[in-house]
Amino acid sequence: MTDPARSTVLVLQHQPDAGPGNLAFWLDDNGYEWTLVDVPRGLPTPKRYQALVVLGSRESAFDASISWISAERTFVAECAAAGTPVLGLCFGAQLLAMALGGQVHRMVQPERGWTRVEGQPPFGGPWFAWHQDEIKAPPGSNEVARTDRCLHAFTSGRHLGVQYHPEVTPDQIADWLAQPARVRDLLSSGGTVEEVKAETGRRAQEAAASATHLYNRFFAGAAT
């Protein structure tokens, strides 16, 4: 009997304001069965899923003081070993890198807001970034996009990690900009609320189209 997990896309979420965003719409529009898991509440059994998506988090992937992070890193590594293609987004990319033998470090200068990422489509382009940690790619992986500050996308077999947020929607960005703690983070990294709002108006449509191309690329590879 076929394990139903093999036809399920598992999406790991870490906090309410960092949900799957436009990825949820893409999965629904393309007929995928998917399940959203609240990681701090517990993880299912690691196995061969159709794909695993790891979303963002305010935490650092190398923070050993938070028990669910090490448990999730082990989960990602075991799912990957079982043959599950993994898509990591921001924190998810960091966790994927560590699960595959890479490293994550604190940056000298965070990146927050709309960022020009250099790389071939669908990896490069204007993307929304919000992170203070950077990735050293896993052994044997391919670096496919970066800024002058850090690596932004890598592939390893059928796995893909991106440091930016392709999934973020204008509504999610507006929610982040309404949170005092996030506004303080933005100001400390040299950005302003007004600038991000204006850039969102200019960039959101293009970024949504780029996200569609990115998902098409990953899930086509995941199916092979």
Side-chain angles (χ1 to χ4, degrees), residues 61-149:
F62 55 79
D63 191 342
S65 70
I66 300 175
S67 61
W68 60 259
I69 292 180
S70 59
E72 185 180 11
R73 186 167 61 247
T74 298
F75 178 84
V76 171
E78 291 180 351
C79 287
T84 301
V86 182
L87 172 60
L89 309 180
C90 197
F91 170 89
Q94 298 166 14
L95 203 71
L96 172 62
M98 294 184 70
L100 298 178
Q103 299 177 3
V104 178
H105 304 284
R106 186 57 52 94
M107 297 178 70
V108 174
Q109 177 67 27
E111 291 180 316
R112 296 189 176 101
W114 289 96
T115 303
R116 169 58 64 176
V117 178
E118 299 298 328
Q120 294 297 312
F123 308 113
W127 291 108
F128 192 79
W130 198 281
H131 66 110
Q132 61 184 2
D133 299 326
E134 62 178 309
I135 295 167
K136 181 178 179 181
S141 62
N142 297 310
E143 299 187 8
V144 293
R146 63 181 306 115
T147 64
D148 58 356
R149 294 184 187 176

Side-chain angles (χ1 to χ4, degrees), residues 166-192:
E167 83 287 0
V168 75
T169 66
D171 285 345
Q172 285 177 308
I173 293 173
D175 176 49
W176 289 9
L177 296 179
Q179 299 178 29
R182 286 193 182 269
V183 171
R184 288 193 296 270
D185 288 342
L186 176 62
L187 295 175
S188 70
S189 59
T192 68

Side-chain angles (χ1 to χ4, degrees), residues 177-178 182-183 186-187 191-200:
L177 296 179
R182 286 193 182 269
V183 171
L186 176 62
L187 295 175
T192 68
V193 170
E194 293 74 18
E195 178 184 59
V196 172
K197 285 182 176 179
E199 281 290 290
T200 299

